[in-house]
Amino acid sequence: ETGVTQSPTHLIKTRGQQVTLRCSSQSGHNTVSWYQQALGQGPQFIFQYYREEENGRGNFPPRFSGLQFPNYSSELNVNALELDDSALYLCASSYPGLAGGETQYFGPGTRLLVL
Amino acid sequence: LAKTTQPISMDSYEGQEVNITCSHNNIATNDYITWYQQFPSQGPRFIIQGYKTKVTNEVASLFIPADRKSSTLSLPRVSLSDTAVYYCLVGDIRVFNTNAGKSTFGDGTTLTVKP
């Protein structure tokens, strides 16, 4: 167990709708990253939040947005859903350090299906 | 951003040592190399991380040559439960890096362990 939880586990939406996915990080981990994983592919970085501010973003359009809260929880919001948004959405928490690498702890993911 | 290349699949038998190599020719100076294991419908699980030379923990070893353009994950004496997808991740997720979070997962190597 990584201590990272996500909700819901599965979700079905229709094209054009909006969705909010939630993540609860490990206590003390003030950095959270979100990834999209299409079937048969590796996770693709969406963005990272540190101390409630966006700290880095991958190649995703603005309709993908996020929020991070002081209680180590976070949200991924996707507007105007498209069929290609169907994927497993993963959040990963970590604690930043000045030296050395960092380990990301992944949640189990939310499986989103857009019809 | 460092692009990673791994073999698509590998087969092995119980009790054998398995070596999975990842190529990352344009790895940056601050990038770390991290390997994850992923089972179906679960989030990736951290295996090992390194920057250079060799790192060993209780489950695996990671070999990184001096030029750091590749890395090899070594799993000693695999069992059936090691059947999974293995990803190498190259990047620097530290928030103090301006490219924080823009780590790159490859498409992974599907390892199948046979009895």
Side-chain angles (χ1 to χ4, degrees), chain A residues 4 41 55-56 61 106 111 113:
Chain A
V4 180
Q41 297 182 18
N55 186 62
F106 283 84
R111 176 73 63 186
L113 177 61

Side-chain angles (χ1 to χ4, degrees), chain B residues 24-76:
Chain B
H24 28 80
N25 289 325
N26 58 338
I27 186 169
T29 302
N30 291 332
D31 287 346
Y32 282 75
I33 300 156
T34 312
W35 283 81
Y36 289 87
Q37 176 192 56
Q38 187 176 29
F39 297 110
S41 298
Q42 294 185 24
R45 185 175 72 95
F46 173 85
I47 301 175
I48 197 166
Q49 183 180 75
Y51 183 80
K52 61 180 179 181
T53 62
K54 176 184 174 182
V55 180
T56 297
N57 62 21
E58 63 276 10
V59 298
S61 294
L62 178 60
F63 300 91
I64 305 169
D67 65 8
R68 304 200 329 123
K69 293 185 177 182
S70 66
S71 58
T72 299
L73 172 72
S74 181
L75 304 171

Side-chain angles (χ1 to χ4, degrees), chain A residues 37 45 55 57 98 100 102, chain B residues 32 38 49 87 94 101-102:
Chain A
Q37 185 175 24
F45 172 73
N55 186 62
R57 190 177 186 92
L98 288 173
E102 290 176 19
Chain B
Y32 282 75
Q38 187 176 29
Q49 183 180 75
Y87 293 98
R94 292 174 297 171
K102 292 185 179 180

